[in-house]
Amino acid sequence: MSAVQHAFETPGPVRLRISVAAGRIEVEPGLEGRTEIELTPLNRGARDVVEEVIVRLDQVGGRHEVVVEEPKRWGFLSNAELGVRVRCPQDTALELKSAAADAVVRGPVASAHVKTASGDSSFGEVLGELVEPMSSRSGGPAPLADFFARALRQRTGAHAAGVDMLASQPPVDGVLSYLPA
């Protein structure tokens, strides 16, 4: 099975919602008024799934919403790894959800909300809000890490803050870091 491609005319504000269980997500902002999606099976389990992925364009409150959603599977059928490559406008607001997909955003986006259990994520530039709950990073004390990250953003005026905490250490031993506003 080869790649499946979709394209939508998306002039104006765009929200991109991607939800896949595992694989790789690549977002490349830079297109004007258009969003292009390419789905590629990365393993044998994804060959049939790639045809079942929901890809649609909705109008929500004056904004284009592009949805890429892998159907939920249970049991041994859930080993599909999908490659999702999206080219979109720079002012796109991202919402990425995954159990085990790595995500790479190669250019500026309006905002990014990321939820992942074990995937890594990297961003070229987020012009607005970056929300990446610590539960996305580890099974450790995520609520406390999220609290510290929020407090750090408020105190410093930073747009993005991360708190790494090891489950085996007391919370005070967490490492705080931030990106200046």
Side-chain angles (χ1 to χ4, degrees), residues 45-97:
R47 289 182 189 160
D48 295 331
V49 174
V50 75
E51 292 285 341
E52 298 174 16
V53 172
I54 298 163
V55 179
R56 70 176 189 267
L57 172 65
D58 297 330
Q59 295 292 322
V60 179
R63 174 185 289 237
H64 297 287
E65 185 169 278
V66 177
V67 176
V68 178
E69 185 175 25
E70 178 183 354
K72 303 240 186 293
R73 297 188 175 270
W74 305 101
F76 296 107
L77 299 175
S78 62
N79 68 344
E81 293 183 19
L82 293 172
V84 179
R85 182 173 178 254
V86 179
R87 295 179 62 219
C88 58
Q90 287 185 354
D91 59 351
T92 296
L94 297 178
E95 182 180 314
L96 307 176
K97 293 181 183 178

mmCIF file of all heavy atoms in Angstrom, residues 45-97:
data_model
loop_
_atom_site.group_PDB
_atom_site.id
_atom_site.type_symbol
_atom_site.label_atom_id
_atom_site.label_comp_id
_atom_site.label_asym_id
_atom_site.label_seq_id
_atom_site.Cartn_x
_atom_site.Cartn_y
_atom_site.Cartn_z
ATOM 1 N N GLY A 45 1.124 -3.619 9.842
ATOM 2 C CA GLY A 45 -0.153 -3.419 10.515
ATOM 3 C C GLY A 45 -0.902 -2.180 10.054
ATOM 4 O O GLY A 45 -2.103 -2.064 10.255
ATOM 5 N N ALA A 46 -0.199 -1.240 9.433
ATOM 6 C CA ALA A 46 -0.831 0.011 9.004
ATOM 7 C C ALA A 46 -1.336 -0.034 7.564
ATOM 8 O O ALA A 46 -2.021 0.886 7.133
ATOM 9 C CB ALA A 46 0.153 1.164 9.159
ATOM 10 N N ARG A 47 -1.048 -1.090 6.831
ATOM 11 C CA ARG A 47 -1.434 -1.148 5.414
ATOM 12 C C ARG A 47 -2.937 -1.018 5.216
ATOM 13 O O ARG A 47 -3.392 -0.310 4.331
ATOM 14 C CB ARG A 47 -0.916 -2.427 4.774
ATOM 15 C CG ARG A 47 0.574 -2.414 4.591
ATOM 16 C CD ARG A 47 1.039 -3.666 3.908
ATOM 17 N NE ARG A 47 2.499 -3.726 3.942
ATOM 18 C CZ ARG A 47 3.188 -4.830 3.783
ATOM 19 N NH1 ARG A 47 2.560 -5.983 3.558
ATOM 20 N NH2 ARG A 47 4.492 -4.804 3.828
ATOM 21 N N ASP A 48 -3.716 -1.712 6.015
ATOM 22 C CA ASP A 48 -5.170 -1.626 5.893
ATOM 23 C C ASP A 48 -5.724 -0.386 6.593
ATOM 24 O O ASP A 48 -6.712 0.186 6.158
ATOM 25 C CB ASP A 48 -5.836 -2.875 6.479
ATOM 26 C CG ASP A 48 -5.488 -4.130 5.686
ATOM 27 O OD1 ASP A 48 -5.246 -4.007 4.473
ATOM 28 O OD2 ASP A 48 -5.449 -5.212 6.291
ATOM 29 N N VAL A 49 -5.080 0.008 7.671
ATOM 30 C CA VAL A 49 -5.572 1.124 8.475
ATOM 31 C C VAL A 49 -5.493 2.451 7.722
ATOM 32 O O VAL A 49 -6.362 3.313 7.869
ATOM 33 C CB VAL A 49 -4.782 1.213 9.803
ATOM 34 C CG1 VAL A 49 -5.165 2.446 10.595
ATOM 35 C CG2 VAL A 49 -5.001 -0.033 10.631
ATOM 36 N N VAL A 50 -4.469 2.626 6.882
ATOM 37 C CA VAL A 50 -4.268 3.906 6.206
ATOM 38 C C VAL A 50 -5.491 4.309 5.377
ATOM 39 O O VAL A 50 -5.823 5.489 5.278
ATOM 40 C CB VAL A 50 -2.958 3.899 5.368
ATOM 41 C CG1 VAL A 50 -3.120 3.083 4.105
ATOM 42 C CG2 VAL A 50 -2.515 5.311 5.047
ATOM 43 N N GLU A 51 -6.200 3.333 4.837
ATOM 44 C CA GLU A 51 -7.411 3.617 4.052
ATOM 45 C C GLU A 51 -8.590 4.005 4.940
ATOM 46 O O GLU A 51 -9.538 4.632 4.472
ATOM 47 C CB GLU A 51 -7.797 2.396 3.212
ATOM 48 C CG GLU A 51 -6.824 2.068 2.107
ATOM 49 C CD GLU A 51 -6.923 3.009 0.911
ATOM 50 O OE1 GLU A 51 -7.959 3.684 0.775
ATOM 51 O OE2 GLU A 51 -5.958 3.072 0.138
ATOM 52 N N GLU A 52 -8.538 3.633 6.223
ATOM 53 C CA GLU A 52 -9.645 3.888 7.135
ATOM 54 C C GLU A 52 -9.498 5.179 7.938
ATOM 55 O O GLU A 52 -10.399 5.570 8.661
ATOM 56 C CB GLU A 52 -9.794 2.714 8.101
ATOM 57 C CG GLU A 52 -10.118 1.404 7.413
ATOM 58 C CD GLU A 52 -10.121 0.231 8.370
ATOM 59 O OE1 GLU A 52 -10.167 0.449 9.605
ATOM 60 O OE2 GLU A 52 -10.072 -0.910 7.887
ATOM 61 N N VAL A 53 -8.340 5.833 7.822
ATOM 62 C CA VAL A 53 -8.115 7.061 8.576
ATOM 63 C C VAL A 53 -9.112 8.121 8.110
ATOM 64 O O VAL A 53 -9.318 8.321 6.914
ATOM 65 C CB VAL A 53 -6.662 7.561 8.395
ATOM 66 C CG1 VAL A 53 -6.472 8.935 9.024
ATOM 67 C CG2 VAL A 53 -5.687 6.567 8.994
ATOM 68 N N ILE A 54 -9.739 8.777 9.066
ATOM 69 C CA ILE A 54 -10.706 9.833 8.770
ATOM 70 C C ILE A 54 -9.937 11.117 8.508
ATOM 71 O O ILE A 54 -9.165 11.576 9.354
ATOM 72 C CB ILE A 54 -11.684 10.035 9.948
ATOM 73 C CG1 ILE A 54 -12.478 8.750 10.181
ATOM 74 C CG2 ILE A 54 -12.592 11.230 9.708
ATOM 75 C CD1 ILE A 54 -13.157 8.689 11.530
ATOM 76 N N VAL A 55 -10.135 11.689 7.335
ATOM 77 C CA VAL A 55 -9.547 12.979 6.984
ATOM 78 C C VAL A 55 -10.678 13.840 6.458
ATOM 79 O O VAL A 55 -11.341 13.477 5.489
ATOM 80 C CB VAL A 55 -8.439 12.834 5.921
ATOM 81 C CG1 VAL A 55 -7.870 14.196 5.555
ATOM 82 C CG2 VAL A 55 -7.330 11.907 6.409
ATOM 83 N N ARG A 56 -10.923 14.979 7.138
ATOM 84 C CA ARG A 56 -12.045 15.815 6.710
ATOM 85 C C ARG A 56 -11.754 17.279 7.019
ATOM 86 O O ARG A 56 -10.915 17.609 7.856
ATOM 87 C CB ARG A 56 -13.339 15.363 7.367
ATOM 88 C CG ARG A 56 -13.427 15.624 8.842
ATOM 89 C CD ARG A 56 -14.787 15.240 9.442
ATOM 90 N NE ARG A 56 -14.883 15.714 10.793
ATOM 91 C CZ ARG A 56 -14.568 15.014 11.868
ATOM 92 N NH1 ARG A 56 -14.132 13.777 11.733
ATOM 93 N NH2 ARG A 56 -14.682 15.528 13.064
ATOM 94 N N LEU A 57 -12.530 18.131 6.346
ATOM 95 C CA LEU A 57 -12.477 19.571 6.585
ATOM 96 C C LEU A 57 -13.827 19.999 7.122
ATOM 97 O O LEU A 57 -14.860 19.749 6.504
ATOM 98 C CB LEU A 57 -12.162 20.321 5.281
ATOM 99 C CG LEU A 57 -12.250 21.839 5.338
ATOM 100 C CD1 LEU A 57 -11.191 22.400 6.282
ATOM 101 C CD2 LEU A 57 -12.086 22.421 3.936
ATOM 102 N N ASP A 58 -13.837 20.651 8.302
ATOM 103 C CA ASP A 58 -15.054 21.174 8.907
ATOM 104 C C ASP A 58 -14.942 22.690 9.008
ATOM 105 O O ASP A 58 -13.832 23.242 9.045
ATOM 106 C CB ASP A 58 -15.257 20.609 10.326
ATOM 107 C CG ASP A 58 -15.449 19.096 10.348
ATOM 108 O OD1 ASP A 58 -15.988 18.558 9.364
ATOM 109 O OD2 ASP A 58 -15.058 18.469 11.350
ATOM 110 N N GLN A 59 -16.076 23.362 9.087
ATOM 111 C CA GLN A 59 -16.125 24.800 9.377
ATOM 112 C C GLN A 59 -16.616 24.943 10.811
ATOM 113 O O GLN A 59 -17.717 24.521 11.128
ATOM 114 C CB GLN A 59 -17.083 25.507 8.421
ATOM 115 C CG GLN A 59 -16.644 25.475 6.974
ATOM 116 C CD GLN A 59 -15.390 26.302 6.752
ATOM 117 O OE1 GLN A 59 -15.200 27.357 7.327
ATOM 118 N NE2 GLN A 59 -14.513 25.794 5.895
ATOM 119 N N VAL A 60 -15.791 25.517 11.677
ATOM 120 C CA VAL A 60 -16.147 25.663 13.086
ATOM 121 C C VAL A 60 -15.897 27.109 13.495
ATOM 122 O O VAL A 60 -14.745 27.543 13.562
ATOM 123 C CB VAL A 60 -15.320 24.699 13.982
ATOM 124 C CG1 VAL A 60 -15.684 24.887 15.447
ATOM 125 C CG2 VAL A 60 -15.517 23.263 13.554
ATOM 126 N N GLY A 61 -16.972 27.845 13.730
ATOM 127 C CA GLY A 61 -16.843 29.224 14.200
ATOM 128 C C GLY A 61 -15.994 30.110 13.313
ATOM 129 O O GLY A 61 -15.143 30.837 13.815
ATOM 130 N N GLY A 62 -16.181 30.057 12.014
ATOM 131 C CA GLY A 62 -15.423 30.905 11.100
ATOM 132 C C GLY A 62 -13.996 30.441 10.858
ATOM 133 O O GLY A 62 -13.188 31.145 10.263
ATOM 134 N N ARG A 63 -13.676 29.269 11.299
ATOM 135 C CA ARG A 63 -12.321 28.726 11.156
ATOM 136 C C ARG A 63 -12.412 27.391 10.435
ATOM 137 O O ARG A 63 -13.324 26.623 10.621
ATOM 138 C CB ARG A 63 -11.724 28.520 12.541
ATOM 139 C CG ARG A 63 -10.372 27.838 12.555
ATOM 140 C CD ARG A 63 -9.907 27.576 13.966
ATOM 141 N NE ARG A 63 -9.560 28.829 14.596
ATOM 142 C CZ ARG A 63 -8.365 29.095 15.116
ATOM 143 N NH1 ARG A 63 -7.430 28.194 15.099
ATOM 144 N NH2 ARG A 63 -8.122 30.251 15.660
ATOM 145 N N HIS A 64 -11.421 27.113 9.596
ATOM 146 C CA HIS A 64 -11.315 25.800 8.961
ATOM 147 C C HIS A 64 -10.702 24.846 9.973
ATOM 148 O O HIS A 64 -9.694 25.160 10.602
ATOM 149 C CB HIS A 64 -10.408 25.856 7.730
ATOM 150 C CG HIS A 64 -10.917 26.751 6.649
ATOM 151 N ND1 HIS A 64 -11.985 26.426 5.856
ATOM 152 C CD2 HIS A 64 -10.506 27.969 6.253
ATOM 153 C CE1 HIS A 64 -12.210 27.396 5.005
ATOM 154 N NE2 HIS A 64 -11.328 28.360 5.221
ATOM 155 N N GLU A 65 -11.308 23.682 10.148
ATOM 156 C CA GLU A 65 -10.761 22.664 11.041
ATOM 157 C C GLU A 65 -10.486 21.412 10.224
ATOM 158 O O GLU A 65 -11.411 20.793 9.694
ATOM 159 C CB GLU A 65 -11.733 22.371 12.181
ATOM 160 C CG GLU A 65 -11.156 21.419 13.195
ATOM 161 C CD GLU A 65 -12.001 21.345 14.445
ATOM 162 O OE1 GLU A 65 -11.863 22.216 15.322
ATOM 163 O OE2 GLU A 65 -12.803 20.405 14.529
ATOM 164 N N VAL A 66 -9.214 21.070 10.099
ATOM 165 C CA VAL A 66 -8.795 19.878 9.368
ATOM 166 C C VAL A 66 -8.556 18.779 10.398
ATOM 167 O O VAL A 66 -7.790 18.960 11.345
ATOM 168 C CB VAL A 66 -7.515 20.134 8.546
ATOM 169 C CG1 VAL A 66 -7.064 18.864 7.847
ATOM 170 C CG2 VAL A 66 -7.750 21.256 7.527
ATOM 171 N N VAL A 67 -9.234 17.652 10.205
ATOM 172 C CA VAL A 67 -9.168 16.543 11.158
ATOM 173 C C VAL A 67 -8.523 15.340 10.480
ATOM 174 O O VAL A 67 -8.928 14.953 9.384
ATOM 175 C CB VAL A 67 -10.582 16.165 11.662
ATOM 176 C CG1 VAL A 67 -10.529 14.957 12.586
ATOM 177 C CG2 VAL A 67 -11.238 17.351 12.343
ATOM 178 N N VAL A 68 -7.521 14.763 11.135
ATOM 179 C CA VAL A 68 -6.892 13.516 10.710
ATOM 180 C C VAL A 68 -6.987 12.590 11.913
ATOM 181 O O VAL A 68 -6.343 12.825 12.935
ATOM 182 C CB VAL A 68 -5.417 13.724 10.300
ATOM 183 C CG1 VAL A 68 -4.785 12.401 9.901
ATOM 184 C CG2 VAL A 68 -5.291 14.762 9.204
ATOM 185 N N GLU A 69 -7.806 11.539 11.790
ATOM 186 C CA GLU A 69 -8.076 10.698 12.957
ATOM 187 C C GLU A 69 -8.048 9.222 12.590
ATOM 188 O O GLU A 69 -8.819 8.758 11.752
ATOM 189 C CB GLU A 69 -9.447 11.068 13.534
ATOM 190 C CG GLU A 69 -9.786 10.355 14.805
ATOM 191 C CD GLU A 69 -11.097 10.857 15.394
ATOM 192 O OE1 GLU A 69 -11.946 11.382 14.659
ATOM 193 O OE2 GLU A 69 -11.258 10.708 16.608
ATOM 194 N N GLU A 70 -7.160 8.506 13.242
ATOM 195 C CA GLU A 70 -7.092 7.060 13.058
ATOM 196 C C GLU A 70 -8.240 6.417 13.823
ATOM 197 O O GLU A 70 -8.495 6.767 14.975
ATOM 198 C CB GLU A 70 -5.759 6.535 13.595
ATOM 199 C CG GLU A 70 -5.608 5.043 13.493
ATOM 200 C CD GLU A 70 -4.307 4.542 14.101
ATOM 201 O OE1 GLU A 70 -3.460 5.345 14.510
ATOM 202 O OE2 GLU A 70 -4.167 3.311 14.176
ATOM 203 N N PRO A 71 -8.961 5.479 13.196
ATOM 204 C CA PRO A 71 -10.037 4.810 13.927
ATOM 205 C C PRO A 71 -9.473 4.021 15.103
ATOM 206 O O PRO A 71 -8.367 3.488 15.037
ATOM 207 C CB PRO A 71 -10.661 3.880 12.893
ATOM 208 C CG PRO A 71 -9.691 3.785 11.782
ATOM 209 C CD PRO A 71 -8.798 4.981 11.842
ATOM 210 N N LYS A 72 -10.215 3.982 16.178
ATOM 211 C CA LYS A 72 -9.775 3.256 17.377
ATOM 212 C C LYS A 72 -9.832 1.754 17.110
ATOM 213 O O LYS A 72 -10.777 1.244 16.543
ATOM 214 C CB LYS A 72 -10.677 3.605 18.550
ATOM 215 C CG LYS A 72 -10.713 5.093 18.827
ATOM 216 C CD LYS A 72 -10.235 5.397 20.192
ATOM 217 C CE LYS A 72 -10.382 6.841 20.567
ATOM 218 N NZ LYS A 72 -9.581 7.761 19.866
ATOM 219 N N ARG A 73 -8.788 1.053 17.518
ATOM 220 C CA ARG A 73 -8.720 -0.401 17.373
ATOM 221 C C ARG A 73 -8.354 -0.983 18.725
ATOM 222 O O ARG A 73 -7.675 -0.367 19.518
ATOM 223 C CB ARG A 73 -7.678 -0.798 16.344
ATOM 224 C CG ARG A 73 -8.004 -0.289 14.969
ATOM 225 C CD ARG A 73 -7.025 -0.892 13.973
ATOM 226 N NE ARG A 73 -7.384 -0.503 12.636
ATOM 227 C CZ ARG A 73 -8.197 -1.190 11.854
ATOM 228 N NH1 ARG A 73 -8.740 -2.294 12.261
ATOM 229 N NH2 ARG A 73 -8.474 -0.767 10.644
ATOM 230 N N TRP A 74 -8.742 -2.211 18.948
ATOM 231 C CA TRP A 74 -8.515 -2.853 20.237
ATOM 232 C C TRP A 74 -7.769 -4.169 20.044
ATOM 233 O O TRP A 74 -7.787 -4.748 18.973
ATOM 234 C CB TRP A 74 -9.840 -3.118 20.941
ATOM 235 C CG TRP A 74 -10.632 -1.859 21.075
ATOM 236 C CD1 TRP A 74 -11.685 -1.473 20.293
ATOM 237 C CD2 TRP A 74 -10.416 -0.799 21.988
ATOM 238 N NE1 TRP A 74 -12.144 -0.248 20.687
ATOM 239 C CE2 TRP A 74 -11.383 0.189 21.736
ATOM 240 C CE3 TRP A 74 -9.500 -0.590 23.018
ATOM 241 C CZ2 TRP A 74 -11.468 1.365 22.461
ATOM 242 C CZ3 TRP A 74 -9.597 0.582 23.744
ATOM 243 C CH2 TRP A 74 -10.559 1.536 23.456
ATOM 244 N N GLY A 75 -7.121 -4.608 21.089
ATOM 245 C CA GLY A 75 -6.454 -5.905 21.062
ATOM 246 C C GLY A 75 -5.226 -5.914 20.175
ATOM 247 O O GLY A 75 -4.501 -4.941 20.073
ATOM 248 N N PHE A 76 -5.015 -7.045 19.511
ATOM 249 C CA PHE A 76 -3.809 -7.225 18.717
ATOM 250 C C PHE A 76 -3.839 -6.454 17.398
ATOM 251 O O PHE A 76 -2.862 -6.388 16.694
ATOM 252 C CB PHE A 76 -3.597 -8.713 18.427
ATOM 253 C CG PHE A 76 -3.348 -9.501 19.674
ATOM 254 C CD1 PHE A 76 -4.319 -10.343 20.178
ATOM 255 C CD2 PHE A 76 -2.168 -9.375 20.363
ATOM 256 C CE1 PHE A 76 -4.101 -11.063 21.340
ATOM 257 C CE2 PHE A 76 -1.934 -10.077 21.529
ATOM 258 C CZ PHE A 76 -2.906 -10.930 22.017
ATOM 259 N N LEU A 77 -4.961 -5.873 17.041
ATOM 260 C CA LEU A 77 -5.067 -5.129 15.791
ATOM 261 C C LEU A 77 -4.533 -3.710 15.909
ATOM 262 O O LEU A 77 -4.526 -2.970 14.949
ATOM 263 C CB LEU A 77 -6.530 -5.082 15.330
ATOM 264 C CG LEU A 77 -7.169 -6.428 15.043
ATOM 265 C CD1 LEU A 77 -8.638 -6.246 14.714
ATOM 266 C CD2 LEU A 77 -6.441 -7.144 13.920
ATOM 267 N N SER A 78 -4.064 -3.325 17.073
ATOM 268 C CA SER A 78 -3.666 -1.938 17.294
ATOM 269 C C SER A 78 -2.167 -1.701 17.126
ATOM 270 O O SER A 78 -1.625 -0.805 17.718
ATOM 271 C CB SER A 78 -4.109 -1.494 18.684
ATOM 272 O OG SER A 78 -3.473 -2.299 19.663
ATOM 273 N N ASN A 79 -1.485 -2.477 16.286
ATOM 274 C CA ASN A 79 -0.047 -2.296 16.114
ATOM 275 C C ASN A 79 0.309 -1.420 14.921
ATOM 276 O O ASN A 79 1.458 -1.345 14.522
ATOM 277 C CB ASN A 79 0.654 -3.647 16.010
ATOM 278 C CG ASN A 79 0.283 -4.384 14.730
ATOM 279 O OD1 ASN A 79 -0.702 -4.042 14.065
ATOM 280 N ND2 ASN A 79 1.063 -5.389 14.388
ATOM 281 N N ALA A 80 -0.652 -0.747 14.325
ATOM 282 C CA ALA A 80 -0.407 0.074 13.147
ATOM 283 C C ALA A 80 0.447 1.289 13.490
ATOM 284 O O ALA A 80 0.214 1.965 14.488
ATOM 285 C CB ALA A 80 -1.724 0.521 12.536
ATOM 286 N N GLU A 81 1.438 1.552 12.656
ATOM 287 C CA GLU A 81 2.253 2.761 12.762
ATOM 288 C C GLU A 81 2.068 3.552 11.482
ATOM 289 O O GLU A 81 2.395 3.079 10.400
ATOM 290 C CB GLU A 81 3.717 2.412 12.978
ATOM 291 C CG GLU A 81 3.988 1.765 14.311
ATOM 292 C CD GLU A 81 5.464 1.499 14.544
ATOM 293 O OE1 GLU A 81 6.308 2.123 13.859
ATOM 294 O OE2 GLU A 81 5.766 0.660 15.388
ATOM 295 N N LEU A 82 1.534 4.766 11.635
ATOM 296 C CA LEU A 82 1.231 5.608 10.483
ATOM 297 C C LEU A 82 2.189 6.779 10.388
ATOM 298 O O LEU A 82 2.562 7.367 11.404
ATOM 299 C CB LEU A 82 -0.195 6.160 10.592
ATOM 300 C CG LEU A 82 -1.326 5.164 10.492
ATOM 301 C CD1 LEU A 82 -2.649 5.839 10.820
ATOM 302 C CD2 LEU A 82 -1.377 4.581 9.091
ATOM 303 N N GLY A 83 2.534 7.126 9.166
ATOM 304 C CA GLY A 83 3.246 8.363 8.904
ATOM 305 C C GLY A 83 2.220 9.397 8.469
ATOM 306 O O GLY A 83 1.440 9.147 7.552
ATOM 307 N N VAL A 84 2.188 10.533 9.152
ATOM 308 C CA VAL A 84 1.274 11.614 8.801
ATOM 309 C C VAL A 84 2.132 12.833 8.497
ATOM 310 O O VAL A 84 2.826 13.345 9.377
ATOM 311 C CB VAL A 84 0.292 11.936 9.951
ATOM 312 C CG1 VAL A 84 -0.624 13.090 9.566
ATOM 313 C CG2 VAL A 84 -0.505 10.704 10.343
ATOM 314 N N ARG A 85 2.098 13.286 7.251
ATOM 315 C CA ARG A 85 2.855 14.476 6.847
ATOM 316 C C ARG A 85 1.852 15.524 6.403
ATOM 317 O O ARG A 85 1.015 15.267 5.541
ATOM 318 C CB ARG A 85 3.801 14.151 5.700
ATOM 319 C CG ARG A 85 4.642 15.330 5.285
ATOM 320 C CD ARG A 85 5.681 14.900 4.249
ATOM 321 N NE ARG A 85 6.439 16.040 3.819
ATOM 322 C CZ ARG A 85 6.294 16.622 2.625
ATOM 323 N NH1 ARG A 85 5.437 16.147 1.749
ATOM 324 N NH2 ARG A 85 7.015 17.667 2.314
ATOM 325 N N VAL A 86 1.935 16.718 7.015
ATOM 326 C CA VAL A 86 0.989 17.787 6.715
ATOM 327 C C VAL A 86 1.756 19.043 6.335
ATOM 328 O O VAL A 86 2.690 19.442 7.034
ATOM 329 C CB VAL A 86 0.080 18.087 7.928
ATOM 330 C CG1 VAL A 86 -0.880 19.222 7.615
ATOM 331 C CG2 VAL A 86 -0.674 16.840 8.368
ATOM 332 N N ARG A 87 1.347 19.646 5.239
ATOM 333 C CA ARG A 87 1.813 20.983 4.859
ATOM 334 C C ARG A 87 0.611 21.902 5.034
ATOM 335 O O ARG A 87 -0.479 21.581 4.557
ATOM 336 C CB ARG A 87 2.323 20.981 3.425
ATOM 337 C CG ARG A 87 3.566 20.087 3.302
ATOM 338 C CD ARG A 87 4.107 20.024 1.887
ATOM 339 N NE ARG A 87 4.515 21.345 1.451
ATOM 340 C CZ ARG A 87 4.315 21.814 0.213
ATOM 341 N NH1 ARG A 87 3.729 21.077 -0.701
ATOM 342 N NH2 ARG A 87 4.703 23.032 -0.107
ATOM 343 N N CYS A 88 0.796 23.025 5.736
ATOM 344 C CA CYS A 88 -0.336 23.874 6.113
ATOM 345 C C CYS A 88 0.110 25.331 6.203
ATOM 346 O O CYS A 88 1.300 25.628 6.163
ATOM 347 C CB CYS A 88 -0.902 23.404 7.455
ATOM 348 S SG CYS A 88 0.304 23.426 8.796
ATOM 349 N N PRO A 89 -0.853 26.262 6.374
ATOM 350 C CA PRO A 89 -0.488 27.667 6.583
ATOM 351 C C PRO A 89 0.259 27.875 7.894
ATOM 352 O O PRO A 89 0.117 27.095 8.835
ATOM 353 C CB PRO A 89 -1.850 28.381 6.615
ATOM 354 C CG PRO A 89 -2.770 27.466 5.881
ATOM 355 C CD PRO A 89 -2.291 26.077 6.193
ATOM 356 N N GLN A 90 1.040 28.958 7.960
ATOM 357 C CA GLN A 90 1.826 29.236 9.160
ATOM 358 C C GLN A 90 0.977 29.591 10.367
ATOM 359 O O GLN A 90 1.402 29.386 11.491
ATOM 360 C CB GLN A 90 2.817 30.374 8.889
ATOM 361 C CG GLN A 90 3.959 29.950 8.015
ATOM 362 C CD GLN A 90 4.992 31.038 7.860
ATOM 363 O OE1 GLN A 90 4.810 32.152 8.319
ATOM 364 N NE2 GLN A 90 6.083 30.719 7.195
ATOM 365 N N ASP A 91 -0.201 30.152 10.162
ATOM 366 C CA ASP A 91 -1.017 30.558 11.303
ATOM 367 C C ASP A 91 -1.915 29.440 11.819
ATOM 368 O O ASP A 91 -2.919 29.674 12.467
ATOM 369 C CB ASP A 91 -1.855 31.787 10.955
ATOM 370 C CG ASP A 91 -2.791 31.540 9.776
ATOM 371 O OD1 ASP A 91 -2.664 30.481 9.122
ATOM 372 O OD2 ASP A 91 -3.640 32.408 9.506
ATOM 373 N N THR A 92 -1.524 28.203 11.568
ATOM 374 C CA THR A 92 -2.304 27.042 11.983
ATOM 375 C C THR A 92 -2.175 26.793 13.487
ATOM 376 O O THR A 92 -1.088 26.879 14.053
ATOM 377 C CB THR A 92 -1.839 25.789 11.208
ATOM 378 O OG1 THR A 92 -2.111 26.001 9.819
ATOM 379 C CG2 THR A 92 -2.537 24.535 11.670
ATOM 380 N N ALA A 93 -3.294 26.478 14.119
ATOM 381 C CA ALA A 93 -3.319 26.049 15.525
ATOM 382 C C ALA A 93 -3.341 24.524 15.519
ATOM 383 O O ALA A 93 -4.192 23.914 14.881
ATOM 384 C CB ALA A 93 -4.559 26.600 16.218
ATOM 385 N N LEU A 94 -2.382 23.889 16.205
ATOM 386 C CA LEU A 94 -2.249 22.433 16.198
ATOM 387 C C LEU A 94 -2.823 21.795 17.448
ATOM 388 O O LEU A 94 -2.676 22.331 18.549
ATOM 389 C CB LEU A 94 -0.776 22.035 16.128
ATOM 390 C CG LEU A 94 0.024 22.428 14.917
ATOM 391 C CD1 LEU A 94 1.466 21.979 15.090
ATOM 392 C CD2 LEU A 94 -0.568 21.836 13.670
ATOM 393 N N GLU A 95 -3.419 20.623 17.248
ATOM 394 C CA GLU A 95 -3.819 19.769 18.364
ATOM 395 C C GLU A 95 -3.381 18.360 17.982
ATOM 396 O O GLU A 95 -3.908 17.768 17.043
ATOM 397 C CB GLU A 95 -5.325 19.816 18.565
ATOM 398 C CG GLU A 95 -5.792 18.996 19.743
ATOM 399 C CD GLU A 95 -7.300 19.069 19.916
ATOM 400 O OE1 GLU A 95 -7.850 20.174 19.853
ATOM 401 O OE2 GLU A 95 -7.903 17.996 20.096
ATOM 402 N N LEU A 96 -2.386 17.834 18.679
ATOM 403 C CA LEU A 96 -1.818 16.524 18.365
ATOM 404 C C LEU A 96 -2.071 15.571 19.526
ATOM 405 O O LEU A 96 -1.738 15.891 20.670
ATOM 406 C CB LEU A 96 -0.314 16.637 18.117
ATOM 407 C CG LEU A 96 0.147 17.667 17.084
ATOM 408 C CD1 LEU A 96 1.665 17.723 17.041
ATOM 409 C CD2 LEU A 96 -0.418 17.353 15.725
ATOM 410 N N LYS A 97 -2.642 14.394 19.225
ATOM 411 C CA LYS A 97 -2.876 13.363 20.239
ATOM 412 C C LYS A 97 -2.316 12.045 19.735
ATOM 413 O O LYS A 97 -2.562 11.666 18.591
ATOM 414 C CB LYS A 97 -4.368 13.200 20.510
ATOM 415 C CG LYS A 97 -5.016 14.372 21.164
ATOM 416 C CD LYS A 97 -6.483 14.096 21.411
ATOM 417 C CE LYS A 97 -7.161 15.308 22.008
ATOM 418 N NZ LYS A 97 -8.591 15.074 22.204
#
